[in-house]
């Protein structure tokens, strides 16, 4: 299952996160990939709003991981930034993500090649944006335009309707 969505503003990226939260459930692993400033944390902020969790969702770059507990009995949001982690899952064992995963939604920025072993079922989210001269000439959306590609991996995502996320909110 793969879907590509064009997002033209940070507000729309956050709204995409809110809509994606409605699709997520406890045990979901979401890997976010994109250049610095692509909108990974903005998307995760929307996820936090949609999941109804406590605390401001900000980049966990220096703390590596933050847990945002649910305010209404839904899944917690575990937000991880693996940017500074060079190794694979071995280096991340201290975070106990395997313990958190069954009851939480775990979102890992920069997680490709590092945490896939946590689950056979995962959602890869790749955020691409125009950079340099391409950004200045981006049509319609201007330099904030991003292409967000969502790819579901595993049985969990086989019948998920990710294309529904392209519909306006």
């Amino acid at each position: 299952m793969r879907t590509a969505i064009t997002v033209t503003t940070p507000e729309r990226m956050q709204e995409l996160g809110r809509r994606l939260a409605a699709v997520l459930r406890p045990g979901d692993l979401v890997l976010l990939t994109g250049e610095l400033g692509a909108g990974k944390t903005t998307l995760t902020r929307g996820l936090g709003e949609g999941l109804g969790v406590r605390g401001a969702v900000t980049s966990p770059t220096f703390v590596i991981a933050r847990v945002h507990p649910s305010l209404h009995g839904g899944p917690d949001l575990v937000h991880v930034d693996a940017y500074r982690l060079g190794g694979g899952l071995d280096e991340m064992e201290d975070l106990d993500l395997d313990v958190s995963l069954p009851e939480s939604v775990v979102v890992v920025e920069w997680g490709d090649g590092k945490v896939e072993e946590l689950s056979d079922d995962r959602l890869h989210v790749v955020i691409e944006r125009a950079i340099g001269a391409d950004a200045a000439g981006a049509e319609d959306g201007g330099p904030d335009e991003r292409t967000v590609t969502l790819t579901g991996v595993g049985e969990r995502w086989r019948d998920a309707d990710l294309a529904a996320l392209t519909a306006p909110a």
Side-chain angles (χ1 to χ4, degrees):
M1 170 59 63
R2 179 179 295 217
T3 298
I5 302 167
T6 300
V7 178
T8 56
T9 67
E11 294 79 19
R12 289 189 178 171
M13 182 68 77
Q14 200 163 333
E15 175 58 31
L16 175 59
R18 285 190 290 270
R19 291 194 322 258
L20 178 57
V23 176
L24 297 175
R25 61 187 188 206
D28 281 343
L29 174 64
V30 180
L31 305 181
L32 299 181
T33 301
E35 297 295 323
L36 288 171
K40 297 179 296 295
T41 300
T42 301
L43 179 75
T44 307
R45 189 172 298 119
L47 283 173
E49 290 174 7
L51 291 171
V53 299
R54 186 180 73 216
V57 175
T58 60
S59 178
T61 299
F62 297 104
V63 296
I64 309 299
R66 281 196 175 95
V67 177
H68 298 275
S70 174
L71 293 171
H72 58 75
D76 295 342
L77 172 64
V78 179
H79 185 197
V80 180
D81 187 329
Y83 182 74
R84 295 185 305 134
L85 301 177
L89 194 57
D90 290 342
E91 190 173 354
M92 298 191 74
E93 278 185 1
D94 290 340
L95 299 177
D96 288 330
L97 294 179
D98 55 336
V99 173
S100 300
L101 187 59
E103 306 88 35
S104 305
V105 170
V106 176
V107 176
V108 183
E109 296 187 26
W110 307 96
D112 282 348
K114 297 178 182 175
V115 296
E116 287 89 344
E117 295 173 26
L118 282 173
S119 178
D120 292 335
D121 300 307
R122 57 196 172 273
L123 181 65
H124 288 258
V125 179
V126 177
I127 304 172
E128 298 174 295
R129 66 181 175 136
I131 55 174
D134 291 337
E139 294 184 23
D140 297 325
D144 282 336
E145 185 172 285
R146 272 73 162 144
T147 300
V148 181
T149 304
L150 300 105
T151 305
V153 175
E155 188 66 31
R156 153 72 174 105
W157 297 101
R158 180 185 305 237
D159 297 323
D161 186 13
L162 296 176
L165 297 171
T166 63

